[in-house]
Amino acid sequence: MPKGIFVRTPKSVAVRFWPKVEKTTTCWLWKASIGTRGYGKFGRTGRGQGWEHAHRVSWQLHYGAVPEGQLVLHRCDVRHCVRPDHLFLGTFKDNTADMFAKGRSGTIGETHHYAKLTPEKVRWLRFNRNVPPTVAARYFNVSRATIRDARSGKLWKHVQ
């Protein structure tokens, strides 16, 4: 090799990854870049080549590739946790069910920014089932599906 030419050997993923992790008695916390949604970000393929969630990289380092159609979910609900035994695989549907089961679904009912119904309106709809969905939908300025789902309890489950 000619004198003065430096050839950079890329570091392995593990060598770059683990110095950015703080291992506590509970979670292993990602201490480098954090995205706007609170998940750790890891430059997977090198500078300028994009990012991957740090918890996914941790899964891959411990268990191998993430199967097609699967997500890496958190048992601990700490978004920047990369501890392998706090992670598990699931589908998008599993992730949504986990979110609801743990009460992390954010806003429900009238607190949702798009909500047009209120608990009082939902109770009225359920009591007055003889009013056709088309009429009720027009009156409340919502879709017939919203009326149907509010009456059946698919939506507004928290309203009795």
Side-chain angles (χ1 to χ4, degrees), residues 21 100 102 118 126:
V21 176
F100 278 100
K102 294 176 179 174
T118 64
R126 290 177 182 168

Side-chain angles (χ1 to χ4, degrees), residues 15-113:
V15 168
R16 292 187 309 113
F17 185 84
W18 292 115
K20 298 172 179 155
V21 176
E22 177 187 342
K23 293 182 179 181
T24 70
T25 56
T26 55
C27 292
W28 295 0
L29 304 175
W30 182 252
K31 300 310 269 180
S33 182
I34 303 287
T36 56
R37 304 209 45 177
Y39 294 99
K41 291 171 44 177
F42 179 73
R44 181 70 161 141
T45 56
R47 176 172 258 164
Q49 299 299 311
W51 299 92
E52 187 165 359
H53 284 142
H55 63 284
R56 285 181 65 85
V57 176
S58 177
W59 177 274
Q60 292 165 6
L61 288 171
H62 284 86
Y63 306 114
V66 177
E68 184 75 28
Q70 295 284 292
L71 304 173
V72 178
L73 312 178
H74 289 89
R75 284 187 175 87
C76 61
D77 289 336
V78 177
R79 292 179 180 188
H80 61 287
C81 176
V82 297
R83 185 171 177 159
D85 59 343
H86 287 197
L87 305 174
F88 65 101
L89 292 177
T91 63
F92 183 80
K93 186 176 180 179
D94 297 331
N95 192 33
T96 303
D98 184 57
M99 174 185 70
F100 278 100
K102 294 176 179 174
R104 293 183 287 105
S105 59
T107 56
I108 60 168
E110 69 277 10
T111 59
H112 192 278
H113 58 283

